[in-house]
Amino acid sequence: MSVELKLSRSNRMYRPSEALEGKIIVKTHSSISHYGIRLTVKGTVNLQVRGGSAGVVESFYGVIKPIPIVNRTIEVKSSGKIAPGTSEMPFSLNLRQRDENLERFYETFHGANISIQYLVTVDISRGYLHKTLSATVEFIVESDKADLLQRPLSPEMVIFYITQDTQRHPLLPELKSGGFRVTGKISTQCSLSSPINGELTVEASAVPIHSIYLQLFRVESILLGEKIVTETSLVQTTQIADGDVCRNLTLPIYVILPRLLTCPTTLAGPFSIEFKVAIVISFQSELSKLHKKSDPKTPRLWLAMETLPLELVRTK
């Protein structure tokens, strides 16, 4: 005996103004009685503060209540019987009601401390003597077309340059004395459906380059009492170049944004989700071989970097 939820769209992506549609599939070897089949849709913003990493006393851990977005239950079938074999029951449920006064629909996001999740659950009640049959599926919510950015994104890019003088952390003596210069440009406002674009050029370097890569970070902030707890974590690393690249050669920057791990830059009251990118240059050094698993947020003697804010938007 089993119950399964199958949504109408294989990508499980819906907009708040649309109806969530699908079917409930029940497989059983014999006829079973039930006291009703109910479908529940829940959307919540889950906030978590980790005391150790955020510098907050441990007693605060886990005390933040989830922020409700949607919570609706419909009855698919009243009490009755399910015949043996495979039974399919279609359902349709509007995600947003016109008179709804709950929080606005934020896009699905899976972060380190902030998670925005939408779940649909079916429950087949069988009375006190039998365990309720249940199945849950997560579906993805993206912004309504009416809420999308109407104007086109600015084609302008931010120009950056990385030298030994722009670094705020200690460098290898040979890097400090010999010097290096890397210039380029990158888009700092980006559509979630488009890549991060840009280019860079290694103009000079006294020390051979090991690799160049771009790191995408999320910056999650949570309002806790009268203070804001902010934590930055790495989302993904994309290599741009490997080895000691040719000088004065323009290298393209083309980075695809990961789904679910990114969302539009969100500045809400109790929380905010922001992003930034770091262009990192790793120079050849014996020291780097001893610290292969170092924290990506920690500057090292053999690394040079430039960090820029990144605004993510959902466009048509």
Side-chain angles (χ1 to χ4, degrees):
M1 181 186 312
S2 65
V3 58
E4 178 189 356
L5 269 173
K6 191 170 184 180
L7 299 180
S8 59
R9 299 175 184 174
S10 58
N11 63 1
R12 299 179 288 125
M13 197 280 286
Y14 295 84
R15 301 187 188 275
S17 59
E18 298 175 335
L20 182 70
E21 297 178 334
K23 54 188 177 182
I24 303 163
I25 304 171
V26 180
K27 296 179 181 179
T28 175
H29 297 295
S30 59
S31 175
I32 60 170
S33 299
H34 64 86
Y35 292 92
I37 301 176
R38 293 172 182 83
L39 196 77
T40 301
V41 167
K42 277 189 178 183
T44 54
V45 182
N46 299 301
L47 308 174
Q48 170 184 289
V49 173
R50 291 177 288 185
S53 59
V56 182
V57 293
E58 293 292 331
S59 58
F60 280 137
Y61 179 84
V63 300
I64 307 174
K65 291 183 179 179
I67 300 172
I69 300 173
V70 61
N71 189 353
R72 189 170 304 116
T73 301
I74 61 168
E75 188 174 68
V76 179
K77 273 195 174 184
S78 56
S79 57
K81 285 191 174 185
I82 299 175
T86 301
S87 303
E88 295 186 356
M89 291 158 273
F91 65 84
S92 178
L93 186 148
N94 291 324
L95 291 175
R96 171 177 278 159
Q97 302 283 23
R98 290 182 181 179
D99 58 348
E100 195 142 52
N101 293 319
L102 287 176
E103 294 286 332
R104 68 182 178 95
F105 278 74
Y106 301 102
E107 288 204 11
T108 298
F109 173 71
H110 292 178
N113 295 329
I114 300 173
S115 176
I116 304 173
Q117 194 172 40
Y118 297 86
L119 301 172
V120 55
T121 302
V122 60
D123 292 306
I124 302 176
S125 178
R126 301 187 59 212
Y128 295 109
L129 299 178
H130 299 278
K131 186 179 179 180
T132 299
L133 292 174
S134 299
T136 300
V137 168
E138 180 182 9
F139 61 96
I140 314 302
V141 168
E142 287 190 0
S143 301
D144 268 323
K145 291 184 178 179
D147 299 331
L148 298 181
L149 189 69
Q150 301 296 325
R151 59 181 173 82
L153 288 177
S154 171
E156 292 183 4
M157 293 190 176
V158 171
I159 296 172
F160 64 86
Y161 66 96
I162 308 171
T163 70
Q164 68 277 11
D165 297 323
T166 63
Q167 303 306 296
R168 298 181 181 179
H169 65 280
L171 294 171
L172 292 169
E174 54 267 35
L175 279 175
K176 199 71 177 174
S177 60
F180 58 91
R181 182 178 176 87
V182 176
T183 60
K185 56 184 180 180
I186 191 170
S187 54
T188 55
Q189 187 186 51
C190 185
S191 169
L192 284 158
S193 56
S194 302
I196 302 172
N197 279 309
E199 60 182 43
L200 65 82
T201 303
V202 179
E203 295 183 3
S205 178
V207 177
I209 292 173
H210 179 265
S211 63
I212 303 175
Y213 49 93
L214 184 139
Q215 292 179 324
L216 173 65
F217 291 95
R218 59 190 162 220
V219 184
E220 300 167 288
S221 299
I222 298 172
L223 182 63
L224 188 64
E226 295 182 353
K227 70 181 296 184
I228 297 175
V229 178
T230 300
E231 186 168 347
T232 301
S233 54
L234 180 66
V235 177
Q236 75 173 22
T237 299
T238 304
Q239 190 175 58
I240 298 171
D242 183 29
D244 193 21
V245 298
C246 297
R247 307 301 185 253
N248 297 312
L249 175 68
T250 300
L251 302 173
I253 297 174
Y254 190 92
V255 177
I256 302 293
L257 294 167
R259 196 176 181 183
L260 302 184
L261 300 179
T262 55
C263 69
T265 298
T266 304
L267 302 174
F271 69 96
S272 67
I273 304 168
E274 299 170 278
F275 299 90
K276 61 183 182 181
V277 291
I279 299 100
V280 184
I281 304 157
S282 175
F283 296 92
Q284 293 182 20
S285 167
E286 291 299 319
L287 276 176
S288 63
K289 298 175 183 178
L290 304 175
H291 300 84
K292 291 183 178 179
K293 294 185 178 180
S294 59
D295 183 355
K297 301 193 296 293
T298 304
R300 297 290 182 176
L301 295 172
W302 58 89
L303 297 179
M305 60 187 69
E306 178 69 21
T307 303
L308 299 165
L310 175 67
E311 182 187 3
L312 297 181
V313 295
R314 180 73 66 187
T315 56
K316 287 187 176 180

